[in-house]
Amino acid sequence: MLSHDILIVGGGGAGLRAAIAVAETHPALNVAVVSKVYPMRSHTVSAEGGAAAVISPDDSLDDHAYDTISGGDWLPDQDAVEAFVKEAPRELLQMEHWGCPWSRQPDGSVAVRPFGGMKIERTWYASDKTGFHMLHTLFQTSLKYDPIQRYDEWFVTKLLVDDGRCQGVVAIDLATGRVQGIGAKAVIVCTGGCGKVFPFTTNANIKNGDGMALAYRAGVPLKDMEFVQYHPTGLPFTGILITEATRSEGGHLLNKDGYRYLQDYDLGTPEPRPVLRSMELGPRDRLSQAFVKEQEKGRTLQGPYGDYVNLDIRHLGEKIINSKLPFVRELCLKYENIDPVKELIPVRPVVHYMMGGIHTDIMGATPLAGLFAAGEAACVSINGANRLGSNSLTELLVFGARVGKAAAEYAARQKGNGTAVAAQAAEEVERIERQYRSGGGKGERMAEIRRGMHTAMESGAGIYRSHAALQKSAQEISNLQNRIQGIRLDDSSRTFNTELVAAIELSYMLDVAEAILASASQRTESRGSHQRTDYPDRDDDDFLAHSLAVRQPGAAPAIEYQPVTITRWPPGERVYGR
C-alpha cells in the first residue's frame, strides 16, 4: 500500500484550499490530493457569478449572517454562519494576494454586485468567470508547497475504516487500470455535489455524489439531503448555467407574453409585491417555484426540451454584456446559437446545488474519526433550506481552510495504520478486479437504469413534492439498486475504462437518491427548496431540525433529527430588504 499523512479526495476549490491549509499548518505532513479529473477540470471552474464577503462600509457581518440565515429559512446553524461571515473577507483578500484578479471599481477598490436574497451588494466577482479564476489561483498556489502530492485521474471506490477511524482509501489509476490501496492518518472528502442524480442540471458529468456515497457507506449520516436547489436560469437542453449575475446586472425574466411575471409572486420582499428593480433578485427557490406556477397557468413557452421562459438582457447593451457578462454571451452563442445582445435567452429551472451532504461539525469533522469533509460534499450547515447565491464559493475557502487545519492537527497526533487496513484494501482491489474480468455479460444496460433514476427523481423530488410521489420514487430507486447488481459491462480494458467508472458512479448516485427521497418523505412541512403540496406550511415546532439519513443495507435509510443551533436570531418571517 501507498501511504500519506493526509489524503484529500477531490481537487477542486475546497480540496486545494484544504491542501494549502495543511501545508501551512504542519509543513512536515505529506498531503495527497486524489482527483478523478485534472484539478483544473474540477467543477469549481464553471462557477460564474461571484463570492460573497463583507467589504463595503455600508455592510456588516451581522447583515451577511442574517441574510444567510433568513435565506436558509432558519435551518442554518448560526454558530457556523457567524464563523463563516467573519472569516469570509480574510479568505477573499488572501485570494487577492495569491493573484485572483477581482474586478475593480474605477477608484481601484474591489467591485461588488448584488445577488439574490442579499439586501446589500457584497458579491466579489472576476467578470463572470469567478470560479475559473479562483481555481486557477488555488491550483497555482498549491504548486509551491512540496508536501502536496497529486494523484490526477485516480478514482476512489472505498474508504478504509478500522478500529473506529478512517485510515485511507482504495482508488483506481484510470490511466493504467491499477487498483491501489492508499493509507492515511486522516481523509478529507471534497468531491462536490450530486446534481447528475437529476436529468436537468448545471452540474458537470463528474458530480455524481461520489464522496457523499463513500461516507454514507462507511456509516456516516447524510444531513439535510431533502434540500435540493434549483437554479431558475439554466439552458433547457444542456442545463448549462446562465449566471445569476445576468439578473444582478439588470436582466428580466419574461413569460410567453413578454411580461415580467415575478411581480405577481411573493418573493419575500416586505412590500406586498416585489419592486420592479429587484424582483429578479429574489431567492433561487422562490424564483423556481414561480416558474412552476407560470407553467401551471399556461404562461410558459414550449420547446423540444420542455417548458421555458425568456431571460432578457438586451437592454443592458453590448458594452456592459461584453465587459461584465462575456462568458454568458459566449455560452449562448456556442450552445444555443443566439446572441443575447440582440435576442432573448431561453431558460428553465435546473438542479444546481445540494444544501445537504456529509454530516460535519463546524471544523469539518464527521462522526467517523479521521474522516473530514468540506465544500458542497459536506453539510456544516450554513446553507440550511436554501443557499444564497455567491455564498458557495466563499464556503469552499472558509471551510476548506478550516478542515485542512483540523485534519492536520488530528493527523499529527496519530500513529501508523493498523494491519487490518491492508487486508481490507486487498478485498476491495479483488472486487474491482472481478469487475474488470466480467466484461461481455448478458445483464441490463446501464443507460436504462440511469434513465429510470432520472425519471424517478424529477417526478418525486422536483420543485414540488408529495407523499405519494416520494413513496413511488423511493420504491423505484430501491428496484434500480437491485437491478444494478446485474449490470452488463462490455469493456474489459484497463486504460481509461469509462464504462466501469460510470457503473460505479451510478451506484453512488442511487445511494444518494435513496437518502434524498427518504429525507424528503419524512419532512412533512415546506421550508426553502423543500416544498410539499400536502404540507404547504413551515413547521418550526416539529422540523426546526436537521435530518440525518443513516444507511441501512437492504432497507430504507433511518432518518434521525438534530436540533438547529440558534445563537442570536430566533426564527421569524423570511423576508428581504428590511
Side-chain angles (χ1 to χ4, degrees):
M1 279 182 60
L2 302 174
S3 182
H4 295 274
D5 292 315
I6 294 178
L7 190 150
I8 299 171
V9 186
L16 292 176
R17 184 65 187 91
I20 294 167
V22 172
E24 290 179 332
T25 304
H26 280 277
L29 298 177
N30 64 77
V31 187
V33 178
V34 180
S35 176
K36 70 178 177 181
V37 295
Y38 187 72
M40 281 309 304
R41 293 185 59 230
S42 299
H43 194 62
T44 305
V45 81
S46 68
E48 300 170 36
V54 172
I55 190 172
S56 167
D58 299 325
D59 200 0
S60 72
L61 299 182
D62 280 0
D63 284 334
H64 191 184
Y66 179 82
D67 286 351
T68 299
I69 293 162
S70 176
D73 226 345
W74 267 268
L75 201 68
D77 284 328
Q78 295 182 14
D79 57 343
V81 172
E82 289 190 80
F84 166 70
V85 302
K86 180 181 179 181
E87 295 168 23
R90 181 170 69 241
E91 284 295 324
L92 295 196
L93 286 170
Q94 178 66 75
M95 292 293 290
E96 163 94 351
H97 298 158
W98 284 339
C100 186
W102 300 117
S103 294
R104 321 300 286 199
Q105 301 285 14
D107 65 0
S109 60
V110 172
V112 289
R113 59 175 35 138
F115 247 62
M118 295 194 185
K119 58 179 176 283
I120 295 173
E121 296 183 4
R122 66 169 64 93
T123 297
W124 305 35
Y125 60 96
S127 186
D128 60 350
K129 294 185 178 182
T130 309
F132 173 89
H133 290 297
M134 284 179 59
L135 192 59
H136 266 275
T137 300
L138 289 168
F139 181 61
Q140 291 166 358
T141 302
S142 73
L143 297 178
K144 72 179 184 181
Y145 293 99
D146 292 334
I148 299 175
Q149 178 179 340
R150 297 204 322 273
Y151 292 80
D152 295 343
E153 298 180 328
W154 284 58
F155 178 53
V156 175
T157 65
K158 183 180 177 66
L159 297 178
L160 299 175
V161 180
D162 182 45
D163 193 29
R165 64 187 178 97
C166 186
Q167 300 186 34
V169 306
V170 173
I172 304 170
D173 178 359
L174 299 179
T176 65
R178 177 167 62 106
V179 190
Q180 178 70 57
I182 310 175
K185 296 174 183 176
V187 174
I188 306 174
V189 175
C190 301
T191 52
C194 59
K196 296 304 287 186
V197 169
F198 291 83
F200 292 99
T201 175
T202 64
N203 290 187
N205 282 330
I206 59 173
K207 293 189 69 175
N208 303 292
D210 301 3
M212 295 178 186
L214 288 168
Y216 185 53
R217 292 175 181 183
V220 177
L222 297 183
K223 182 164 65 181
D224 291 344
M225 293 299 288
E226 61 267 46
F227 298 106
V228 180
Q229 181 171 83
Y230 278 73
H231 196 292
T233 56
L235 295 178
F237 169 47
T238 60
I240 288 172
L241 174 68
I242 299 300
T243 175
E244 193 162 310
T246 55
R247 290 175 281 125
S248 73
E249 295 297 339
H252 300 158
L253 283 170
L254 309 175
N255 65 14
K256 72 174 186 179
D257 301 318
Y259 174 66
R260 290 178 70 185
Y261 60 88
L262 291 173
Q263 61 192 291
D264 295 342
Y265 296 93
D266 175 15
L267 302 179
T269 51
E271 297 84 1
R273 289 288 180 264
V275 292
L276 283 173
R277 65 178 173 79
S278 64
M279 62 190 177
E280 272 83 11
L281 287 180
R284 291 172 177 175
D285 56 343
R286 289 183 172 173
L287 264 62
S288 297
Q289 292 154 22
F291 173 90
V292 174
K293 297 301 184 182
E294 287 294 291
Q295 189 177 33
E296 291 172 350
K297 295 172 184 175
R299 296 176 183 170
T300 54
L301 295 105
Q302 302 287 318
Y305 304 103
D307 288 18
Y308 67 94
V309 292
N310 283 318
L311 175 62
D312 188 5
I313 61 172
R314 296 173 298 179
H315 53 284
L316 301 181
E318 187 170 10
K319 182 178 179 180
I320 289 180
I321 291 172
N322 284 341
S323 63
K324 294 189 174 182
L325 302 168
F327 192 44
V328 167
R329 189 178 189 188
E330 180 182 337
L331 289 172
C332 290
L333 287 167
K334 284 186 175 179
Y335 293 99
E336 291 288 337
N337 197 28
I338 60 173
D339 186 350
V341 170
K342 305 172 184 176
E343 301 169 90
L344 299 170
I345 307 170
V347 293
R348 58 162 285 172
V350 292
V351 169
H352 182 57
Y353 188 89
M354 289 298 301
M355 274 70 74
I358 301 166
H359 175 36
T360 76
D361 65 16
I362 198 169
M363 294 304 297
T366 76
L368 176 60
L371 183 66
F372 301 78
E376 192 179 352
C379 183
V380 67
S381 150
I382 65 163
N383 297 310
N386 172 66
R387 175 178 69 80
L388 294 190
S390 75
N391 267 351
S392 62
L393 286 179
T394 313
E395 180 184 3
L396 298 178
L397 301 174
V398 170
F399 290 100
R402 280 184 155 240
V403 78
K405 294 171 187 174
E409 291 168 1
Y410 174 88
R413 300 192 303 266
Q414 303 304 310
K415 297 181 180 179
N417 293 335
T419 56
V421 171
Q424 228 183 97
E427 288 180 11
E428 177 68 3
V429 169
E430 176 54 30
R431 186 183 74 85
I432 301 298
E433 290 290 346
R434 284 198 301 271
Q435 290 187 275
Y436 274 120
R437 297 192 293 267
S438 68
K442 296 182 179 180
E444 189 170 2
R445 289 290 187 183
M446 191 168 20
E448 290 300 318
I449 294 176
R450 184 187 295 109
R451 190 175 298 114
M453 175 187 70
H454 283 163
T455 300
M457 294 306 291
E458 186 166 50
S459 61
I463 295 172
Y464 286 95
R465 293 100 178 257
S466 70
H467 175 76
L470 286 164
Q471 292 298 107
K472 181 180 179 182
S473 293
Q475 183 59 54
E476 180 59 23
I477 293 298
S478 178
N479 293 338
L480 294 172
Q481 287 175 315
N482 292 328
R483 286 164 56 187
I484 199 174
Q485 303 304 316
I487 201 168
R488 172 181 172 180
L489 298 179
D490 293 329
D491 188 357
S492 59
S493 66
R494 293 278 176 166
T495 302
F496 290 106
N497 189 326
T498 55
E499 187 182 34
L500 174 60
V501 171
I504 297 171
E505 288 175 331
L506 183 55
S507 73
Y508 288 161
M509 287 190 278
L510 290 172
D511 280 3
V512 170
E514 169 189 85
I516 292 171
L517 293 166
S519 302
S521 181
Q522 292 295 315
R523 185 175 288 273
T524 52
E525 66 156 357
S526 289
R527 184 185 298 268
S529 65
H530 172 70
Q531 293 292 307
R532 291 282 298 259
T533 56
D534 44 356
Y535 295 95
D537 298 322
R538 194 177 88 186
D539 180 1
D540 288 343
D541 291 336
D542 294 324
F543 290 104
L544 188 63
H546 301 295
S547 64
L548 299 173
V550 180
R551 187 170 182 252
Q552 307 287 323
I559 305 299
E560 303 168 357
Y561 290 93
Q562 174 177 293
V564 171
T565 301
I566 306 291
T567 59
R568 298 166 53 201
W569 294 276
E573 184 184 359
R574 184 181 170 201
V575 296
Y576 305 94
R578 284 182 175 166

